[in-house]
Amino acid sequence: MEATLLDPRMFRIVAAAMALAAFVGLNALVLVYLERKIAGHVQRRPGPFEVGPHGLLQPLADALKLIGKQLFRPAGADALLFWMAPVVSFIPVLPLFLPIPFDPDLVAMHVEPGLLLILAFTGINVLALCMAGWGSNNKWSLLGASRAVAQSVAYEIPLLMALLAVTFMHGSLNLSEIVEAQGAWPWQWNAFIQPVAFIVYFTCAVAETNRAPFDLPEAESELTAGFHTEYSGMGFGLFFLAEYANMIVVCAVATALFLGGWQGPFFSGWWWFLAKTYALLMVIIWFRWTYPRVRFDQLLNINWKWLLPLSMVNLMVTALVMKLF
Amino acid sequence: MDSVFHQEPFRGDYYTRRFEPGPDDSTLILNMGPQHPSTHGVLRVVVELEGEYILRAEPVLGYLHRMHEKMGETRSYLQYMPNMGRVDYLHPLAWNHAYVCAVEKLGNIEVPRRAEFIRVITSELNRISSHLLWWGAYLLDLGAFTPIMYAFEERERIQDLLQEPTGSRLTYSFFRPGGVAADLSPEFLQGVREFIPYMRSRLPMYKDLVTDNIILRYRCEEVGELPLDMARRYGASGPVLRASGMAYDVRRAEPYSVYPELEFATPVSQRTDAMGRYKVRLAEIEESLKILEQAVEMIPEGEILVKGAPKPRWKAPAGEVYQAVEGARGKIGVHILSAGSAQPYRIKLRAPGFSNLSLFAELAKGTLLSDAVSILGSLDLVIPEIDR
Amino acid sequence: MTPAWLKGLSALRTEAHQRESTGLAWSVFIGPDQILEAAVRLDGEGYFLEDVSGLDATEGFLVTYHFDHWQRPGRVALRVLLTREAPILPSISGVFGGAEWHERECRDFFGVQFEGNPNPGALLLPADFEIHPLCKEAGERKPLRELLTQGEVIASAEGFDLFAPAEEPAAPPDDAADSGTPEEED
Amino acid sequence: MQAIRRKLKDITNLWSMVKGLKVTGGQFLKPQVTVHYPRQEVANLASFRGPLQLVAKPKDPAKPKCIACLMCVSVCPSGCLTVLKAKPPKPTPEEEAAARAALEAGEKPAKKPAPKEPSRFIYDYSLCSLCGLCAENCPVGSLSYSENIYLTATDAKAFKLDLLADLRARAGAAPPAGEE
């Protein structure tokens, strides 16, 4: 079967990619604003206030500033790796959104093993951090990158296992099917049927997206800015965008797998999906403005000594229960 | 590899050359600072890392050196007052206190009782504000962004209070040889009375948000353990020493001002680690509140500046005097040698942070980089004071 | 009365002070070769080092070590007089680790060399800075007897005449009249 | 056993994370405490040490109490004050004639004394450390702190303040004749 440019499926993909790029950009802006506003109010200050009413246009101003800034490469940096890294960090974010079902019909691409696609593409991000850290010719970046690699590789395993438990239950990797298999009411959601998997997944998701308290690759009080120390302008901007986009993805996946997706007790639809995703995002933001940062060896200990055994036990129990009943 | 960075002015300075890796250079030489987020100002620490473990660490000082001791030799006794506000900008009133006490000893000047109480009240308020800022900044080092904002809420109230008599919010130059520059108003005393229960009501929140937090506990407990003997060899003082189990407080050991009349405990911790230092400082806030509580009730009416207090062209009698004072960071010492002229012949400032930082090199050996940041924070360093 | 650490130390002059007047308890003049021994003795007694400070006086550099004790507060000032030509002193950083920085600071400000300091470079001043800012001009220097408050003399070695009344023309006469000698101290 | 007990303790200690969230969540819902600067301003400036200003004579709001004794200049540790004493006023033609007559008569002409007031009072705020020694030691209390705390400029020269002009501006008086 030959796909030509005029193939309707091709059109759909291109249109979906553009829509998704817009969606990612818009949501990243909203998230940046939310983060700063929440941080402000948690700290009893107004947060951004001057650009636009209640600082609404502040993220836009930030984006403009980042775009306008000079791109700067330190002497001795590997030009190829250095410039590829932000791109490699950002590009895989778009395919991540393809199989996410916002609505029974609102899916960019119906992919049967959708979950697999997401897991495959999230793995690329760590490569970008590694490239950025190595290519910057900066010791802080290098330390940040080495932390990022160890952390991402470690946390991907329990994350996978937690998801696997859910897919065992439903016998599917298709997100839409998993959503439909859950009911409309909270007690029918997987978060309540598989609470351990949900907690493990959510913890790993925070770690995978390098968010506080697991933000070690950029730990600014230790490594100045970690892997993106040397990036300015849009080089930094793309990393920033990718971080927020990744946050949206992990929360969207959590919504689909654990919180019943678009289904709600009433008026089911994409707004439910968005509301649940944003609720999770806000929890992640709330974490950041509450907790201190864990230490690196403790971070790995949490993973290998707690999350991994927990998720394995959970997986085995799930498998046993599925087999028996 | 003969790029421009390997030729002369880029070859590194005295310190980096000392840290030149050996033949098997599997270690990483890292310059933390002078512009590093967790070195509080402009401290520079050169570290040699094996992975993330520190093999060697050496603080490099002098980036904020202003030669206060030389300035002292060129200024009259009164003119040196603003310098005292700028040595340690977090607890300037303790330096004010040490200096004026030294000058008073030198010139045999009586201080009115009301002035002594004013000094104690303002100085203790200042100590609380210094500990609050340390608390916030330490948590910032450990990656928690919010506590510093809560600490500043209280700190702002203290500064609003202190602003009224002292006229400044940071670099106070308020004490004068023979008294203080301004009287406390009844509104100020009322403000302090109201502040004490408010501050006490905030402390449980600190405990819930931070002290009990399991992440923080794992970042502080058993990190940077400072045995008492090591503390002695380096001359550590203040909360750093008291967290190693020695109840040594200059206010008790070498009583000055009206501290002997006030009841307060010297908080001690036997933990010896960063958590011990943390807990001692929080306990000191409570003790300072106790002092304030008593002092605002005991303060008598009267003069605030003794008659015949040193005038601008005052000449001190010849002689030597050493005055120690308990600052928020430890033992502050002012050593004045006078030859009988209007300027001191020599003035030596003993900064507690200087001694407290000097033990960092030994303390950081073998720890993780993150632990080093935690240790550095737990020592409560104010770089201008260390560099002077 | 005389503390144990002081006994057997061949001090040049020992003075007991009142804390209320000078803040010191003991002021002990010793020779440069004695400082290490004195430090070891004080270490054995549980003293800690407060600071090391220099002073540029007519007679030369006076390096003062301040020690204090946690349980038995009472400041001890060990004083070593060095000639201006050879301001060299053994380092006590092997005994008190904290002395390293204090000694380096003293080196920065006065140019006093501490032999055996593990890291004798500049501390607060730039490494290539060859000016010692606290050294005084020849005419500005004052003799020690005009600067130091004298306490109760416990012992004084033969030939130690720092505090003898001024007879030699070390200080200009108008200077001496201006400042006066401290006499009211007990 | 010890290890297990420790692990169990770790699990119970996880509750502290929830407590932390409760604190920040509670603070999130409380009103803000910051002073929202351009919309709000702080009010407690009565005793704040702002930049110096001259205190006017009670009778003439455009003239300072200053007697040009230069005490403030000598006491200032930063050397931020420059005060010039006023010169004796130019004699009028009649006075000049009288002086000449006196001189011819062999007498000492009666010189008019210089008025005890400053002709220039320059204050370099960029050097000032606001220690308060000048104001405290002024024998006539001619210096006080202003509430001009929002003083900003992009050039250090802008902080060389002419306090006499400032006093006149506050009094609403025109600059004296002969001064450009």
Side-chain angles (χ1 to χ4, degrees):
Chain A
M1 189 167 68
E2 234 171 78
T4 61
L5 275 177
L6 293 173
D7 193 321
R9 280 172 305 171
M10 204 66 195
F11 261 133
R12 188 185 160 88
I13 289 180
V14 171
M18 280 166 67
L20 282 177
F23 176 78
V24 170
L26 192 73
N27 273 286
L29 290 186
V30 172
L31 259 187
V32 170
Y33 179 74
L34 259 184
E35 169 123 67
R36 295 180 60 174
K37 267 295 186 200
I38 291 177
H41 283 266
V42 161
Q43 298 172 349
R44 315 274 304 269
R45 56 187 175 83
F49 208 83
E50 300 302 325
V51 190
H54 279 262
L56 264 171
L57 299 178
Q58 184 68 46
L60 212 62
D62 288 351
L64 280 176
K65 178 200 74 175
L66 282 177
I67 291 168
K69 268 186 160 178
Q70 189 189 358
L71 292 172
F72 182 82
R73 178 169 61 85
D78 187 319
L80 185 69
L81 287 185
F82 187 80
W83 292 128
M84 281 244 303
V87 180
V88 172
S89 164
F90 181 69
I91 293 295
V93 163
L94 295 179
L96 284 177
F97 281 94
L98 286 177
I100 288 176
F102 292 93
D103 201 62
D105 306 313
L106 197 61
V107 188
M109 204 164 79
H110 285 285
V111 190
E112 201 46 45
L115 200 52
L116 211 58
L117 183 94
I118 289 177
L119 291 173
F121 274 100
T122 37
I124 297 178
N125 191 38
V126 60
L127 192 69
L129 304 197
C130 194
M131 283 161 70
W134 185 256
S136 293
N137 189 28
N138 180 309
K139 292 168 183 175
W140 302 110
S141 307
L142 186 62
L143 283 173
S146 66
R147 283 179 173 194
V149 173
Q151 178 178 343
S152 296
V153 170
Y155 272 82
E156 227 150 75
I157 301 165
L159 183 117
L160 252 162
M161 293 217 179
L163 293 183
L164 219 53
V166 176
T167 50
F168 269 24
M169 269 175 58
H170 300 288
S172 169
L173 286 169
N174 189 328
L175 290 166
S176 303
E177 280 175 26
I178 296 176
V179 170
E180 267 158 22
Q182 302 171 62
W185 294 91
W187 55 86
Q188 293 167 318
W189 296 347
N190 278 338
F192 290 85
I193 302 163
Q194 285 272 8
V196 177
F198 180 59
I199 290 169
V200 171
Y201 172 80
F202 198 59
T203 315
C204 293
V206 173
E208 277 286 297
T209 47
N210 301 329
R211 291 284 302 186
F214 303 124
D215 57 343
L216 283 113
E218 42 191 306
E220 73 286 334
S221 59
E222 295 157 26
L223 302 183
T224 56
F227 62 89
H228 60 64
T229 304
E230 293 288 3
Y231 284 92
S232 61
M234 256 345 250
F236 166 74
L238 283 180
F239 277 121
F240 199 61
L241 211 57
E243 181 190 320
Y244 280 99
N246 273 323
M247 269 168 69
I248 299 170
V249 171
V250 293
C251 288
V253 170
T255 308
L257 291 187
F258 292 101
L259 298 180
W262 64 80
Q263 306 190 69
F266 42 85
F267 307 126
S268 290
W270 57 268
W271 42 87
W272 271 101
F273 192 93
L274 271 188
K276 289 172 188 172
T277 309
Y278 264 87
L280 284 180
L281 284 169
M282 256 132 94
V283 171
I284 294 185
I285 293 173
W286 190 7
F287 281 173
R288 174 164 176 197
W289 299 104
T290 304
Y291 297 138
R293 186 180 300 114
V294 299
R295 203 170 66 198
F296 190 59
D297 57 329
Q298 291 163 357
L299 173 93
L300 294 183
N301 279 347
I302 294 171
N303 178 61
W304 297 116
K305 292 187 182 168
W306 289 96
L307 296 179
L308 190 62
L310 214 59
S311 58
M312 274 168 104
V313 169
N314 184 53
L315 187 61
M316 275 192 274
V317 170
T318 311
L320 212 65
V321 169
M322 293 307 292
K323 188 79 189 158
L324 291 180
F325 303 100
Chain B
M1 279 284 276
D2 51 344
S3 74
V4 66
F5 291 102
H6 292 259
Q7 294 158 12
E8 254 320 314
F10 294 105
R11 270 259 310 134
D13 61 1
Y14 172 74
Y15 289 95
T16 41
R17 275 199 290 273
R18 268 163 50 76
F19 271 74
E20 201 71 10
D24 68 316
D25 48 358
S26 63
T27 59
L28 189 69
I29 312 292
L30 200 58
N31 254 313
M32 270 176 87
Q35 292 102 354
H36 186 275
S38 69
T39 53
H40 296 259
V42 284
L43 172 67
R44 172 175 161 213
V45 185
V46 190
V47 291
E48 185 175 356
L49 293 175
E50 169 93 61
E52 282 213 23
Y53 284 93
I54 291 175
L55 298 180
R56 259 199 304 171
E58 188 171 323
V60 182
L61 308 183
Y63 291 93
L64 209 56
H65 178 54
R66 291 155 294 171
M67 202 73 234
H68 276 297
E69 296 178 10
K70 184 76 188 172
M71 278 191 241
E73 293 175 12
T74 59
R75 294 177 171 201
S76 74
Y77 285 91
L78 272 184
Q79 283 179 336
Y80 198 47
M81 282 309 305
N83 287 58
M84 287 295 103
R86 284 158 179 79
V87 176
D88 172 357
Y89 54 77
L90 289 189
H91 198 183
L93 286 178
W95 282 91
N96 271 241
H97 208 160
Y99 177 71
V100 295
C101 279
V103 174
E104 282 155 10
K105 246 184 203 179
L106 197 63
N108 238 332
I109 301 163
E110 277 289 310
V111 185
R113 236 177 109 70
R114 185 173 174 84
E116 291 280 22
F117 273 96
I118 294 175
R119 285 179 186 179
V120 167
I121 290 171
T122 50
S123 185
E124 292 305 318
L125 275 174
N126 200 188
R127 185 189 313 276
I128 296 175
S129 77
S130 168
H131 281 335
L132 284 173
L133 194 127
W134 164 81
W135 183 76
Y138 181 44
L139 285 154
L140 215 51
D141 289 347
L142 297 180
F145 303 97
T146 303
I148 192 166
M149 293 295 176
Y150 296 165
F152 264 68
E153 228 178 294
E154 278 79 81
R155 198 178 137 82
E156 283 294 310
R157 275 187 71 149
I158 296 178
Q159 282 178 322
D160 283 347
L161 277 173
L162 283 181
Q163 179 190 321
E164 196 218 311
T166 64
S168 333
R169 293 175 74 85
L170 195 69
T171 51
Y172 307 114
S173 148
F174 176 54
F175 297 172
R176 298 282 180 266
V180 291
D183 202 356
L184 301 183
S185 63
E187 293 80 47
F188 174 89
L189 292 175
Q190 190 51 37
V192 175
R193 280 191 199 104
E194 282 161 17
F195 173 76
I196 295 166
Y198 166 74
M199 185 70 223
R200 288 212 173 111
S201 73
R202 294 282 283 188
L203 289 171
M205 185 267 270
Y206 287 14
K207 187 170 149 58
D208 278 353
L209 177 62
V210 180
T211 318
D212 281 347
N213 188 289
I214 184 165
I215 300 177
L216 177 101
R217 288 179 47 187
Y218 270 105
R219 289 298 305 276
C220 300
E221 287 177 359
E222 287 156 44
V223 166
E225 289 182 327
L226 174 68
L228 194 57
D229 182 59
M230 185 174 153
R232 190 176 61 80
R233 275 188 288 120
Y234 284 97
S237 54
V240 176
L241 171 66
R242 289 193 281 273
S244 291
M246 176 53 66
Y248 180 75
D249 186 325
V250 182
R251 288 172 292 179
R252 287 292 186 227
E254 293 180 47
Y256 56 94
S257 195
V258 288
Y259 282 111
E261 298 170 35
L262 298 162
E263 256 177 61
F264 62 99
T266 306
V268 187
S269 166
Q270 305 291 342
R271 297 194 57 100
T272 73
D273 56 3
M275 195 59 174
R277 300 192 266 280
Y278 176 98
K279 289 207 161 145
V280 164
R281 289 203 181 91
L282 283 194
E284 270 181 29
I285 292 181
E286 293 181 50
E287 293 305 321
S288 289
L289 289 175
K290 262 187 222 162
I291 296 178
L292 285 174
E293 214 166 26
Q294 299 164 44
V296 289
E297 300 310 326
M298 285 164 72
I299 183 167
E301 291 298 319
E303 290 281 303
I304 55 157
L305 194 65
V306 74
K307 290 215 168 57
K311 291 270 176 297
R313 296 190 185 96
W314 181 71
K315 285 186 180 178
E320 172 189 22
V321 69
Y322 194 109
Q323 175 67 44
V325 154
E326 181 72 23
R329 266 148 288 283
K331 191 173 197 173
I332 291 168
V334 172
H335 185 198
I336 301 178
L337 287 148
S338 160
S341 55
Q343 291 97 19
Y345 183 78
R346 163 98 170 96
I347 181 158
K348 158 85 187 163
L349 308 174
R350 190 234 184 230
F354 188 81
S355 297
N356 290 356
L357 176 62
S358 68
L359 51 80
F360 174 73
E362 198 174 322
L363 216 52
K365 220 171 259 175
T367 60
L368 281 162
L369 188 65
S370 325
D371 281 346
V373 169
S374 174
I375 295 169
L376 211 56
S378 75
L379 294 176
D380 190 8
L381 305 168
V382 171
I383 308 304
E385 175 202 56
I386 293 165
D387 283 353
R388 282 159 293 146
Chain C
M1 172 75 204
T2 315
W5 60 268
L6 203 52
K7 283 179 192 142
L9 187 76
S10 49
L12 297 172
R13 183 189 175 92
T14 310
E15 291 171 11
H17 281 250
Q18 298 294 319
R19 195 180 70 79
E20 290 72 32
S21 63
T22 56
L24 303 176
W26 294 95
S27 162
V28 183
F29 279 86
I30 50 177
D33 46 344
Q34 230 93 63
I35 182 68
L36 212 56
E37 196 200 333
V40 170
R41 281 158 177 260
L42 286 167
D43 181 41
E45 290 284 313
Y47 276 84
F48 68 95
L49 180 73
E50 269 183 345
D51 58 42
V52 179
S53 80
L55 174 69
D56 188 8
T58 315
E59 293 89 346
F61 293 116
L62 183 76
V63 179
T64 307
Y65 298 73
H66 286 115
F67 292 90
D68 208 340
H69 200 283
W70 290 330
Q71 282 101 356
R72 289 172 272 132
R75 190 167 288 103
V76 173
L78 288 185
R79 306 182 197 272
V80 185
L81 186 63
L82 302 171
T83 59
R84 198 162 280 109
E85 291 72 43
I88 300 171
L89 197 62
S91 165
I92 62 162
S93 56
V95 187
F96 290 98
E100 182 196 324
W101 282 16
H102 289 292
E103 286 173 357
R104 285 170 69 189
E105 184 195 297
C106 199
R107 187 217 79 102
D108 281 355
F109 292 173
F110 294 95
V112 176
Q113 301 294 326
F114 290 87
E115 277 184 336
N117 189 308
N119 188 13
L123 182 72
L124 295 174
L125 299 179
D128 53 353
F129 203 65
E130 280 314 317
I131 299 166
H132 302 298
L134 289 186
C135 289
K136 305 224 172 219
E137 300 284 317
E140 296 174 346
R141 294 191 185 110
K142 296 273 159 83
L144 283 176
R145 68 172 173 281
E146 288 180 19
L147 296 169
L148 300 177
T149 306
Q150 289 176 62
E152 181 193 346
V153 181
I154 304 288
S156 190
E158 203 72 13
F160 183 82
D161 56 354
L162 270 182
F163 293 99
E167 272 159 40
E168 80 277 33
D174 54 7
D175 240 285
D178 195 52
S179 49
T181 40
E183 64 267 287
E184 79 281 61
E185 274 307 321
D186 47 342
Chain D
M1 204 60 223
Q2 195 74 35
I4 292 172
R5 199 169 299 141
R6 229 185 129 145
K7 297 248 147 151
L8 281 175
K9 215 166 161 209
D10 280 351
I11 293 173
T12 50
N13 280 344
L14 282 179
W15 181 246
S16 67
M17 309 272 285
V18 181
K19 276 204 294 187
L21 286 179
K22 237 163 41 190
V23 170
T24 42
Q27 297 284 332
F28 177 78
L29 299 173
K30 284 188 186 165
Q32 295 153 15
V33 290
T34 47
V35 177
H36 211 159
Y37 165 54
R39 296 163 193 86
Q40 286 169 288
E41 285 187 9
V42 290
N44 53 344
L45 291 173
S47 66
F48 187 75
R49 291 182 188 170
L52 286 176
Q53 64 184 15
L54 285 170
V55 177
K57 280 180 182 162
K59 284 181 189 155
D60 185 356
K63 279 259 163 80
K65 281 179 173 177
C66 177
I67 52 169
C69 67
L70 303 191
M71 180 54 138
C72 50
V73 178
S74 70
V75 78
C76 177
S78 324
C80 61
L81 291 169
T82 315
V83 180
L84 294 184
K85 291 188 182 187
K87 292 210 171 60
K90 266 210 177 114
T92 52
E94 304 95 79
E95 283 170 341
E96 250 174 73
R100 226 174 292 127
L103 211 62
E104 277 163 19
E107 290 165 21
K108 249 181 126 183
K111 247 194 188 164
K112 257 197 162 178
K116 282 196 168 178
E117 59 179 34
S119 66
R120 301 274 284 161
F121 204 116
I122 308 293
Y123 167 53
D124 193 343
Y125 184 50
S126 63
L127 298 178
C128 180
S129 59
L130 293 168
C131 60
L133 290 176
C134 49
E136 274 165 40
N137 287 295
C138 180
V140 289
S142 175
L143 282 166
S144 73
Y145 303 108
S146 68
E147 298 190 355
N148 187 14
I149 59 165
Y150 296 111
L151 181 63
T152 52
T154 51
D155 187 0
K157 278 183 205 132
F159 292 117
K160 271 201 158 190
L161 307 173
D162 184 346
L163 293 192
L164 284 174
D166 168 64
L167 182 69
R168 279 193 297 270
R170 274 186 289 133
E179 198 170 290
E180 56 274 60

